[in-house]
Amino acid sequence: MLIFTAPGQGAQTPGFLSPWLDLPGLAEQLGAWSELAGRDLIRLGTTGTAEEITDTSVAQPLLVAAALAVAGLLGEPDVAAGHSVGELAAGAIAGVISAEDAIKLTRVRAEAMAAACDAEPTGMTAVLGGDESAVLAAIAAAGLTPANVNTAGQIVAGGTLAQLAEFAANPPAGARLRPLRVAGAFHTRHMAPAVEALAAAAAGTTVKDPAITLLSNRDGAVVTAGDDWIERVVSQVASPVRWDKCMATMSAIGVTAQLELLPGGTLTAMAKRALPGVELLAVKTPDQLEAARALIAAHAAAPGAAEPKEQS
């Protein structure tokens, strides 16, 4: 059983799209999506600076477009999941929304989250190691939110800069703290205004039930109704990402291979510890497409899984 996973903000690196633009139709596809994103995705993904592509309003549509562009070159997986904004790519891969609507919604999400970041100085700190219950207690005591519970020993706390400073002064025993270079406290109450904006945009979006198994960041559950999925994705903007539970579900349903879409690496690193025995591939360059198709052929159970989709 094969899963496609789509990474979230922070996975982008300068120039990561450059080697992909020679593939037939891909530049045209990204050009069309640039119009929907309100951003020159081709320029940003090739010559954009690290500072430019760190901007929330840029990073999110760039990542969703990159994941969908590569997914369109491959076959249909059995399962799809995305981390944070990657959920919008996963939803399109599962047929809940169109790729075009995924880009449109990502634009709204990204711009609204960027505006929320500007409203109050907030940030995020990765907590590495330590006893999980003690870490969560310390996060709560500082008034912070465990915004990302990624895997054992990796929790990201989000809140105001003052709260994060207090947390840094009294860290949980046995844990290392690593401040993250992000614009604000994503997946916390500070993103509530962005939830309202995304909900309004989602209300006019055509939604279908998933055509394949689709996992939710909220609790790792398999989502079977399109309306349920869209509600979860909207509320997730201000709610913690439970990628640990997504990986637990992958294990429970019998996933045997994970293909992380462009720009791969982050989710694959987490899976190495949490999903022993699962074959992993993080897609970074076009020369990996042959290996990706071989992985799909070996593990995917979905009919037509080895046949790439038409770009549109």
Side-chain angles (χ1 to χ4, degrees):
M1 182 179 290
L2 174 83
I3 186 169
F4 280 4
T5 59
Q9 196 166 340
Q12 73 278 5
T13 55
F16 78 94
L17 276 181
S18 295
W20 294 87
L21 296 180
D22 291 334
L23 297 182
L26 199 137
E28 291 78 6
Q29 179 72 87
L30 290 172
W33 287 345
S34 291
E35 294 293 323
L36 301 178
R39 306 285 186 280
D40 185 345
L41 300 175
I42 293 176
R43 184 192 71 78
L44 291 163
T46 54
T47 62
T49 65
E51 184 178 1
E52 278 185 293
I53 65 173
T54 299
D55 185 319
T56 298
S57 66
V58 169
Q60 294 189 15
L62 184 59
L63 286 164
V64 170
L68 289 176
V70 172
L73 300 173
L74 302 171
E76 181 180 279
D78 303 300
V79 190
H83 189 285
S84 190
V85 72
E87 285 207 282
L88 285 163
I93 291 167
V96 179
I97 56 175
S98 67
E100 291 72 22
D101 282 339
I103 301 294
K104 291 177 186 177
L105 290 175
T106 303
R107 177 180 181 175
V108 172
R109 183 188 194 274
E111 292 178 353
M113 290 178 75
C117 290
D118 291 339
E120 182 180 12
T122 59
M124 305 180 84
T125 294
V127 187
L128 307 174
D131 175 75
E132 183 171 308
S133 60
V135 167
L136 291 172
I139 289 173
L144 299 167
T145 299
N148 290 244
V149 184
N150 287 324
T151 186
Q154 187 182 129
I155 298 174
V156 177
T160 68
L161 296 185
Q163 290 170 330
L164 290 169
E166 178 188 342
F167 185 61
N170 299 280
R176 292 180 293 114
L177 305 187
R178 189 180 71 201
L180 301 181
R181 292 185 60 190
V182 294
F186 305 136
H187 300 292
T188 72
R189 61 180 178 80
H190 300 284
M191 294 294 111
V195 173
E196 296 177 14
L198 186 57
T205 302
T206 299
V207 175
K208 301 178 181 177
D209 292 341
I212 60 173
T213 300
L214 181 61
L215 308 186
S216 169
N217 279 183
R218 178 186 291 177
D219 51 12
V222 174
V223 182
T224 58
D227 289 341
D228 182 26
W229 177 84
I230 200 77
E231 183 279 324
R232 285 168 172 261
V233 168
V234 168
S235 65
Q236 201 68 48
V237 171
S239 301
V241 171
R242 295 302 305 263
W243 192 250
D244 60 333
K245 290 185 177 293
C246 287
M247 290 193 291
T249 300
M250 293 176 206
S251 180
I253 64 177
V255 166
T256 56
Q258 173 184 288
L259 189 155
E260 184 181 357
L261 298 165
L262 186 70
T266 304
L267 303 181
T268 300
M270 296 179 194
K272 284 179 180 177
R273 292 182 59 188
L275 298 172
V278 172
E279 192 169 350
L280 306 171
L281 178 62
V283 176
K284 299 176 184 291
T285 59
D287 59 12
Q288 294 175 294
L289 287 175
E290 184 176 346
R293 291 177 178 132
L295 187 76
I296 292 167
H299 291 272
E307 299 178 10
K309 302 174 183 176
E310 291 292 328
Q311 295 284 341
S312 59

